[in-house]
Amino acid sequence: MSSKPSALEPLRVRVRRFQFIVGLGFLSLVVGAMLSVSLVLRLHARVNALPSDFLRIPVAVALENLWVLAVLPTLCYGAARIVALRTWTTAVGAALSGGVFVIALNFVRDGFEGLSTGWSFASALRVVAFVGGILLSARAIRAGRAAAEKGSADAEAKAAARKSEYDEFLKAAEAGGARLEQREGGAAVEAPAMTQETPAAGEPATPEGSASPPGDVPKTPAA
């Protein structure tokens, strides 16, 4: 007997989905932080060599927010290839979870002063990068779902082609078996006919009911 679904099953599904989204944002933040640190160490001299702050600040903000601009869309695309994800729920939720972790880290590092500082050009660029990362993540999810649907359609087409090939092979095998059975039946009919054929020429035919063998000559009585 199949057990009835529990009333809490929809809640469990939502909790698992929430955990997946939060984990996606945290993983993108961790991977993006490692990537950002590596690139900043390599490009620090070149970024500082730029002639204007209007060039240095956007590059620095882009390197700082690689987790939402590049890593999160990549992870969303890969996840959408495997799991059916909701576009905006996943993109916004993952970005917000990563942003909350960033704010928590800044609070631990700078305290309330880091949260209460005034807005600047870099702060506006961070907001723009965050919104752009959400848009890129949503687009990546759509692309991942489209690729997954195309892959499943291709797999179904290949399965149908293989099934048709198997059906043709089965029909050919059945036709060959039928021809073989016909040949065997014809041979079985010809075999009794060969046994009932007349004797060959040159051999004396002995009438049925004759007592004398073919080699004996009947003798007549003497006069």
Side-chain angles (χ1 to χ4, degrees), residues 112-185:
F112 287 102
E113 294 179 359
L115 300 178
S116 59
T117 53
W119 285 85
S120 62
F121 180 60
S123 301
L125 288 180
R126 290 188 184 96
V127 174
V128 172
F130 186 80
V131 175
I134 293 176
L135 297 177
L136 291 175
S137 300
R139 185 175 181 181
I141 292 172
R142 292 197 192 99
R145 291 175 60 183
E149 292 175 357
K150 183 181 178 180
S152 61
D154 293 341
E156 290 178 358
K158 290 180 181 179
R162 290 179 182 176
K163 186 177 182 300
S164 62
E165 292 178 359
Y166 175 76
D167 292 339
E168 292 177 358
F169 173 77
L170 186 59
K171 290 179 181 178
E174 290 177 353
R179 288 195 297 268
L180 182 60
E181 289 179 358
Q182 290 178 359
R183 291 177 184 176
E184 291 178 353

Side-chain angles (χ1 to χ4, degrees), residues 27-69:
L27 180 62
S28 64
L29 179 61
V30 172
V31 177
M34 293 188 296
L35 184 62
S36 297
V37 170
S38 176
L39 290 178
V40 166
L41 292 177
R42 293 183 180 183
L43 302 177
H44 180 70
R46 295 182 181 181
V47 172
N48 289 333
L50 293 174
S52 173
D53 289 341
F54 289 99
L55 295 177
R56 286 194 296 268
I57 293 176
V59 173
V61 170
L63 292 176
E64 181 183 352
N65 292 274
L66 279 179
W67 70 271
V68 72
L69 291 174

Side-chain angles (χ1 to χ4, degrees), residues 67 72 90-102 130 134:
W67 70 271
L72 182 59
T90 305
V92 175
L96 286 177
S97 62
V100 168
F101 281 114
V102 171
F130 186 80
I134 293 176

